[in-house]
């Protein structure tokens, strides 16, 4: 499993518009081989800023890399430039490879 995450620091006054942009965008993730799941996470508010993280799970890092160079990626990020004014700096990317998995419904 490969987890790809981008973190965004959003001024509180831009939070609703930032959420609307993400919730209304056309995602092409389901069209991609190896895609498992996506979550847009809203974190704590601190000093007038809200932390958000986009969290995508892939079967392998190779599947994720294929996504980043695909036509589906370009199409789903076509409006990404509109969000630059909504968050501070650039998104912080973090990629992780799973070394352990425990499922709630798996026998102990």
């Amino acid at each position: 499993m490969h987890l790809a995450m981008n973190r965004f620091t959003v001024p509180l006054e831009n939070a609703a518009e930032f959420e609307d942009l993400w919730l209304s965008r056309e995602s092409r993730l389901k069209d991609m081989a190896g895609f498992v799941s996506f979550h847009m996470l809203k974190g704590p508010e601190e000093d007038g800023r809200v932390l958000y993280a986009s969290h995508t799970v892939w079967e392998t890092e190779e599947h994720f890399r294929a996504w980043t160079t695909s036509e589906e990626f370009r199409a789903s990020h076509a409006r990404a430039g509109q969000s630059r004014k909504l968050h501070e700096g650039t998104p912080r990317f973090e990629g992780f490879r799973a070394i352990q998995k425990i499922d709630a419904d798996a026998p102990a």
Side-chain angles (χ1 to χ4, degrees), residues 1-6 22 25 27-41 53-68 93-101 103:
M1 179 189 84
H2 183 76
L3 184 142
M5 182 168 47
N6 279 299
W22 275 90
R25 75 186 183 95
S27 172
R28 303 282 180 94
L29 290 166
K30 289 184 178 183
D31 299 337
M32 298 300 299
F35 169 72
V36 176
S37 66
F38 173 84
H39 294 91
M40 186 57 172
L41 308 171
S54 65
H55 175 272
T56 312
V57 178
W58 298 90
E59 290 177 12
T60 67
E61 184 176 354
E62 291 74 27
H63 284 111
F64 166 69
R65 296 218 177 273
W67 157 248
T68 64
F93 174 78
E94 298 170 322
F96 300 91
R97 180 177 45 89
I99 62 170
Q100 182 182 30
K101 180 182 178 186
D103 290 323

Side-chain angles (χ1 to χ4, degrees), residues 61-102:
E61 184 176 354
E62 291 74 27
H63 284 111
F64 166 69
R65 296 218 177 273
W67 157 248
T68 64
T69 60
S70 70
E71 181 58 38
E72 290 85 356
F73 179 89
R74 285 187 289 284
S76 68
H77 289 81
R79 293 178 22 197
Q82 295 175 2
S83 68
R84 292 202 196 294
K85 65 179 175 61
L86 299 177
H87 58 80
E88 297 177 348
T90 57
R92 179 176 171 172
F93 174 78
E94 298 170 322
F96 300 91
R97 180 177 45 89
I99 62 170
Q100 182 182 30
K101 180 182 178 186
I102 299 172

Side-chain angles (χ1 to χ4, degrees), residues 16-25 79-80 82-83 86:
E17 188 176 351
F18 181 82
E19 290 180 24
D20 287 344
L21 181 68
W22 275 90
L23 296 173
S24 66
R25 75 186 183 95
R79 293 178 22 197
Q82 295 175 2
S83 68
L86 299 177

